[in-house]
Amino acid sequence: MASPVTPTPILKDELDIVIPTIRNLDFLEMWRPFFQPYHLIIVQDGDPSKVIKVPQGFDYELYNRNDINRILGPKASCISFKDSACRCFGYMVSKKKYIFTIDDDCFVAKDPSGDDINALEQHIKNLLSPSTPYFFNTLYDPYREGADFVRGYPFSLREGVPTAVSHGLWLNIPDYDAPTQLVKPRERNTRFVDAVMTIPRGTLFPMCGMNLAFDRELIGPAMYFGLMGDGQPIGRYDDMWAGWCMKVICDHLGLGVKTGLPYIWHSKASNPFVNLKKEYKGIYWQEELIPFFQTTSLPKECTTVQSCYKELSKQVKAKLGKVDDYFNKLADAMLTWIEAWDELNPSTQLQNGK
Amino acid sequence: MSPPSLLSLAIDATLLNLHNISDLSFLPEHVLSDLFLRTLKAGKLTERILKIFIATEKEEVISMIQALNIQLVMTPVLPTSKLMSQVSIDKNEVDIVIAAFHSDLTSFLEEWRPIFSGFHLIVVQDPDLKEELKIPKGFDIDVYTKLDIDKLISSSNASMFSGYACRYFGYLVSKRKYIISIDDDCSPAKDNNGDVADIVIQHITNLKTPATPIFFNTLYDPYRKGSDFVRGYPFSLRSGVPCVLSCGLWLNLADYDAPTQSLKPELRNSRYVDAVLTVPKYSMMPMSGINIAFDRETVGPAIFPALKLAKEGKVRWETMEDIWCGLVVKVVCDHLQLGVKTGIPYVWRNERGSAIDSLKKEWEGVKLMEEVVPFFQTLKLSQDAVTAEACVTEMVVAIKKEKGRSHPELANAADNMVEWVKIWKEVQSRVLV
């Protein structure tokens, strides 16, 4: 190797770890060596009278439903109940630049040589190096050690753009939808694909919230996880919704999204029949949603994430309201979210995507 | 033909307005039965409509429902049927095309023997290579030399097949569906388990399983064993599109350009990424001719030796012909709803040439990409272009118009493309000896 590998900064004062939970936080024990330096934001879903114990030695703040209602007042209606979508409350109250979010059934995975994977470190590497959405590099992330841009890659595009989102993957239980789970209940993801890559501009993808990191200052307001769970006709589409909105906005503002490493070990397969009931509408609605997001365009006057998001909510109402009244409610909730975000984060109102 | 009856028209109208109807019990039985059958035929029997028919309690309709075993059960939407994880390879469908720049192919072919054995090989000798080729026994092989090129191609066009581009002559004369082509400085690579990567099986598998360019699957190729479409992937997109180009990768000496390799002379690719994925629609990529395979029948006319640099040479650092080709093919594929995959299989690329020497000689190609890439990224073809040839023909017009004057090498490339399509059509229609 021509140059020595520079160590990844730990960013312990610039990153918050947001964890939604309704059960317990036992999984944190396994993550202790990696998470201990960081501040945790726990969003407790479900019954607020239940006491969720946080393992000793972690620096954290915990919010239950009562806290969410108290802090947001009537605007709390935009935060889902009985769905991990409530995690986005954590993004809103964080004061840090970066967020890493993980599910409470995700554990440390091992790489092919048997070493524990420090998922957080890889996410940080992904976020701190540029993305390359304008031309596909066949050797994947050119900024990784041991890789570079291939022959034919225009030099003017080699600086890349800032990375807003780092989407990690999962070994063991893959993130399949209910029908696929029902057909292949025993399938496990055992393939470790040693790559990180930028998702090209104009391409949408299904963003999974299980193992995700992002730059809150660049894209935070777009990471609203929608109206899911209790009282809503749909569940398990929170991260999908956020991912599509986020990608459209990133493409518009010239920001990058990476996917691939790091892997975590996903241990718990949820009940596919329960999932089917939650996802059912989503499976049909996504046929309309994908063409909507693929053809949506934002006016060039929208230069901040908030203005892009507000514009998007207008288009959701106009074009998806006729698919189901749910989308009218969702569009309103999107606006409520932005209002709440701006209230809790007054200094970021003028932040733009640059 | 007799005009439709009033009853028939009334039933048609009912069918159109089914979404507004909540009660059908007033209809006479024979009309109801007719409506039921038409509803079935039109694919409009939803749960709600079925309930309305059942609520009429008319015997004929109920017995039809029972006879057809129509049930009010919520069936989950099942994933589209998957292809077998073991794709069968018909050796008669495959040609392996190698361009020979060195006369002694013995060690190269011996290395590849376990993988190439049983397949038909087309070797095209670089027209500038004077010595006769040395080829080991036991291969089903056809060799083409300058003589063959001159016989088939007019002298004005023969220069199209010089240097790296001589391999295209092999594509031209092949009669098979799939072509696999690699550079003659490549050896078989080993995967992460230490097994030799069989590029033939992997390339053909890539080509015979669908591509998914419209929406990105985060677990990469969903048709690979042990993988599938993830949550959030629309079901209507799960049957994919035909894959017509498979771009493989390289371990050891990766396909970097001369400036990069000169700057990092020690840089070697040791990372075996165990994935193949579809290059998304509208995303352009650099196609490296070092290790590719394609569906000749579908995109053959769009894979051609068109771009020749002023100081074009015989090492990959001194050419951009494959990059140009790849951009053309990607635009064609995006337009024709076809797919391009990239990733495995890997080959091991041996050391050859000097990046610095190449850099001193030729780097215009690197600069040219600045013009070429934006051009292809915004190129749109018309609805009338429904074949690869038609797409190429339209592209030629656009290239000449927008880049012809400022870049003579691109105007030449466009001319070559025109000639290629002509030659291609002519050769395909001939019965070759």
Side-chain angles (χ1 to χ4, degrees):
Chain A
M1 218 56 59
S3 51
V5 176
T6 41
T8 312
I10 221 179
L11 300 183
K12 73 172 179 63
D13 295 321
E14 293 168 70
L15 185 146
D16 273 339
I17 303 180
V18 172
I19 305 167
T21 186
I22 198 164
R23 305 174 264 245
N24 62 63
L25 293 168
D26 297 345
F27 85 118
L28 280 178
E29 273 314 324
M30 198 191 186
W31 286 101
R32 191 183 284 277
F34 305 113
F35 287 3
Q36 188 125 11
Y38 299 90
H39 180 70
L40 311 181
I41 296 180
I42 319 278
V43 183
Q44 178 183 335
D45 197 11
D47 181 4
S49 65
K50 177 172 175 192
V51 173
I52 302 241
K53 282 217 315 239
V54 182
Q56 284 266 40
F58 283 101
D59 167 36
Y60 72 96
E61 51 194 286
L62 185 147
Y63 299 92
N64 60 28
R65 193 71 206 185
N66 293 338
D67 299 314
I68 295 174
N69 290 336
R70 175 178 47 85
I71 293 171
L72 293 183
K75 297 201 184 70
S77 58
C78 74
I79 303 294
S80 305
F81 185 61
K82 289 300 234 344
D83 191 290
S84 63
C86 64
R87 73 176 82 210
C88 61
F89 178 76
Y91 308 160
M92 203 194 269
V93 297
S94 163
K95 300 275 171 283
K96 305 280 172 63
K97 180 160 164 65
Y98 300 101
I99 296 278
F100 169 52
T101 184
I102 186 170
D103 278 10
D104 62 7
D105 58 355
C106 294
F107 294 82
V108 179
K110 285 199 193 305
D111 67 20
S113 40
D115 298 322
D116 281 348
I117 297 174
N118 184 345
L120 197 41
E121 186 185 53
Q122 183 63 54
H123 275 303
I124 292 172
K125 278 192 184 144
N126 293 349
L127 290 172
L128 293 183
S129 58
S131 297
T132 51
Y134 299 119
F135 199 63
F136 191 88
N137 193 44
T138 45
L139 275 188
Y140 315 113
D141 188 341
Y143 302 103
R144 273 188 90 191
E145 310 111 52
D148 211 309
F149 289 96
V150 295
R151 178 173 56 100
Y153 205 104
F155 273 80
S156 61
L157 295 178
R158 295 193 188 196
E159 237 180 68
V161 300
T163 303
V165 175
S166 166
H167 178 262
L169 296 174
W170 348 271
L171 289 172
N172 194 42
I173 309 283
D175 190 23
Y176 289 158
D177 52 44
T180 311
Q181 271 183 290
L182 285 165
V183 168
K184 299 175 157 190
R186 292 218 190 86
E187 185 151 279
R188 298 287 176 264
N189 186 22
T190 53
R191 188 175 290 128
F192 182 92
V193 178
D194 190 3
V196 182
M197 63 191 82
T198 298
I199 301 188
R201 183 188 197 281
T203 301
L204 292 175
F205 75 111
M207 181 179 87
C208 172
M210 267 199 265
N211 173 18
L212 185 68
F214 59 93
D215 183 326
R216 213 176 134 273
E217 283 176 14
L218 284 183
I219 199 68
M223 298 299 267
Y224 173 48
F225 272 40
L227 288 174
M228 305 276 149
D230 228 42
Q232 306 299 342
I234 185 176
R236 280 172 60 87
Y237 268 81
D238 50 336
D239 40 8
M240 298 296 136
W241 181 262
W244 298 327
C245 292
M246 174 279 291
K247 189 58 166 56
V248 167
I249 295 177
C250 280
D251 286 349
H252 178 78
L253 296 178
L255 300 171
V257 176
K258 290 184 180 176
T259 184
L261 303 182
Y263 281 89
I264 46 89
W265 179 270
H266 184 210
S267 69
K268 199 168 173 296
S270 34
N271 183 317
F273 296 97
V274 170
N275 287 346
L276 184 60
K277 273 179 89 179
K278 292 181 183 173
E279 293 173 3
Y280 185 71
K281 291 239 157 90
I283 287 176
Y284 287 99
W285 285 345
Q286 73 194 5
E287 299 298 332
E288 314 273 351
L289 298 180
I290 299 304
F292 164 75
F293 281 105
Q294 279 174 331
T295 52
T296 202
S297 71
L298 299 168
K300 55 179 180 15
E301 297 81 55
C302 292
T303 53
T304 65
V305 179
Q306 286 94 324
S307 58
C308 288
Y309 203 74
K310 287 197 253 196
E311 171 63 30
L312 208 49
S313 82
K314 266 194 241 153
Q315 295 188 23
V316 168
K317 207 166 220 182
K319 301 206 186 125
L320 296 177
K322 50 176 146 37
V323 173
D324 194 282
D325 188 47
Y326 166 77
F327 291 102
N328 289 320
K329 284 191 353 190
L330 182 56
D332 290 336
M334 287 166 78
L335 291 176
T336 308
W337 159 267
I338 295 292
E339 277 167 32
W341 180 284
D342 284 343
E343 233 180 70
L344 291 179
N345 300 281
S347 60
T348 66
Q349 259 170 15
L350 297 172
Q351 185 83 16
N352 71 14
K354 300 278 162 20
Chain B
M1 215 188 97
S2 57
S5 68
L6 195 56
L7 177 60
S8 154
L9 288 171
I11 292 181
D12 286 345
T14 314
L15 205 54
L16 279 173
N17 287 292
L18 265 182
H19 54 278
N20 282 332
I21 294 172
S22 49
D23 180 22
L24 288 170
S25 49
F26 58 90
L27 282 180
E29 191 151 1
H30 67 288
V31 176
L32 190 69
S33 305
D34 206 346
L35 177 62
F36 180 74
L37 289 171
R38 297 268 199 100
T39 308
L40 264 182
K41 220 171 145 196
K44 287 193 166 193
L45 191 69
T46 63
E47 197 187 307
R48 187 188 77 88
I49 304 293
L50 180 62
K51 282 193 182 142
I52 294 174
F53 275 107
I54 292 176
T56 64
E57 290 177 6
K58 294 279 166 42
E59 218 177 79
E60 210 180 294
V61 167
I62 304 289
S63 55
M64 270 198 282
I65 290 173
Q66 282 171 347
L68 291 168
N69 202 22
I70 298 172
Q71 289 164 32
L72 257 175
V73 173
M74 244 178 43
T75 34
V77 177
L78 290 180
T80 39
S81 64
K82 302 292 293 296
L83 291 133
M84 300 185 301
S85 50
Q86 288 291 74
V87 161
S88 60
I89 299 189
D90 178 358
K91 294 189 168 184
N92 294 319
E93 285 188 311
V94 181
D95 262 338
I96 300 175
V97 175
I98 312 286
F101 296 99
H102 306 97
S103 52
D104 192 351
L105 291 178
T106 316
S107 59
F108 171 78
L109 284 173
E110 285 305 342
E111 272 186 321
W112 286 101
R113 191 186 283 276
I115 295 171
F116 287 177
S117 151
F119 288 94
H120 179 240
L121 272 71
I122 292 180
V123 172
V124 184
Q125 181 172 346
D126 173 14
D128 293 333
L129 189 61
K130 301 294 172 230
E131 302 96 35
E132 204 178 300
L133 296 180
K134 264 175 71 184
I135 291 173
K137 289 206 184 347
F139 285 100
D140 173 16
I141 204 165
D142 280 316
V143 179
Y144 294 89
T145 65
K146 184 172 191 303
L147 288 173
D148 299 299
I149 298 176
D150 290 339
K151 244 193 272 178
L152 197 60
I153 311 289
S154 72
S155 52
S156 54
N157 285 327
S159 58
M160 231 197 268
F161 299 97
S162 62
Y164 255 107
C166 63
R167 57 158 66 178
Y168 291 97
F169 188 77
Y171 304 167
L172 189 63
V173 299
S174 162
K175 299 200 250 322
R176 311 269 172 114
K177 181 163 169 64
Y178 300 111
I179 299 266
I180 298 176
S181 193
I182 60 171
D183 278 0
D184 66 352
D185 58 357
C186 297
S187 306
K190 288 212 166 85
D191 66 20
N192 288 328
N193 297 326
D195 300 319
V196 173
D198 186 325
I199 65 167
V200 175
I201 293 181
Q202 189 58 55
H203 270 310
I204 300 302
T205 304
N206 291 350
L207 292 171
K208 284 193 159 188
T209 49
T212 51
I214 299 176
F215 200 67
F216 191 89
N217 192 45
T218 46
L219 279 186
Y220 315 113
D221 188 340
Y223 300 98
R224 266 189 98 189
K225 192 161 181 222
S227 188
D228 211 310
F229 291 97
V230 295
R231 174 175 58 97
Y233 205 105
F235 276 81
S236 63
L237 296 178
R238 295 193 187 197
S239 33
V241 300
C243 179
V244 295
L245 176 62
S246 165
C247 301
L249 294 174
W250 346 268
L251 287 174
N252 192 42
L253 205 63
D255 193 12
Y256 293 132
D257 52 42
T260 306
Q261 196 76 71
S262 306
L263 196 64
K264 300 179 168 184
E266 304 304 314
L267 182 62
R268 295 291 176 272
N269 186 24
S270 53
R271 189 175 287 132
Y272 183 98
V273 177
D274 189 7
V276 54
L277 57 139
T278 299
V279 182
K281 194 168 185 189
Y282 303 132
S283 173
M284 295 290 122
M285 89 280 163
M287 177 183 94
S288 165
I290 296 174
N291 172 15
I292 54 168
F294 59 95
D295 179 333
R296 199 189 132 274
E297 282 172 10
T298 315
V299 285
I303 300 204
F304 43 56
L307 183 66
K308 277 251 188 295
L309 299 176
K311 302 199 194 99
E312 177 103 354
K314 307 246 204 255
V315 282
R316 279 286 172 199
W317 291 312
E318 294 166 13
T319 182
M320 285 290 190
E321 53 89 9
D322 47 354
I323 309 290
W324 173 268
C325 211
L327 295 170
V328 169
V329 170
K330 188 58 167 54
V331 171
V332 170
C333 285
D334 286 347
H335 182 76
L336 297 180
Q337 319 273 50
L338 301 169
V340 174
K341 290 187 186 176
T342 184
I344 56 172
Y346 278 83
V347 293
W348 178 275
R349 195 157 168 249
N350 298 303
E351 310 285 331
R352 190 164 86 166
S354 150
I356 295 182
D357 287 346
S358 290
L359 186 56
K360 288 188 202 156
K361 178 185 166 198
E362 164 58 71
W363 54 285
E364 291 298 315
V366 165
K367 285 206 301 187
L368 200 56
M369 285 301 119
E370 302 298 332
E371 302 288 329
V372 160
V373 167
F375 168 78
F376 281 107
Q377 277 174 333
T378 50
L379 185 57
K380 290 278 175 283
L381 302 172
S382 79
Q383 301 274 46
D384 301 324
V386 297
T387 61
E389 291 100 324
C391 290
V392 171
T393 308
E394 269 188 30
M395 246 186 247
V396 162
V397 172
I399 295 167
K400 283 197 151 141
K401 186 164 152 210
E402 289 173 50
K403 297 284 174 193
R405 217 158 322 138
S406 50
H407 294 87
E409 61 275 57
L410 297 184
N412 280 341
D415 287 335
N416 286 337
M417 286 158 76
V418 170
E419 286 312 310
W420 171 266
V421 171
K422 271 196 222 147
I423 298 169
W424 180 272
K425 281 198 200 154
E426 218 221 275
V427 170
Q428 299 318 303
S429 62
R430 271 200 224 174
V431 176
L432 288 172
V433 176

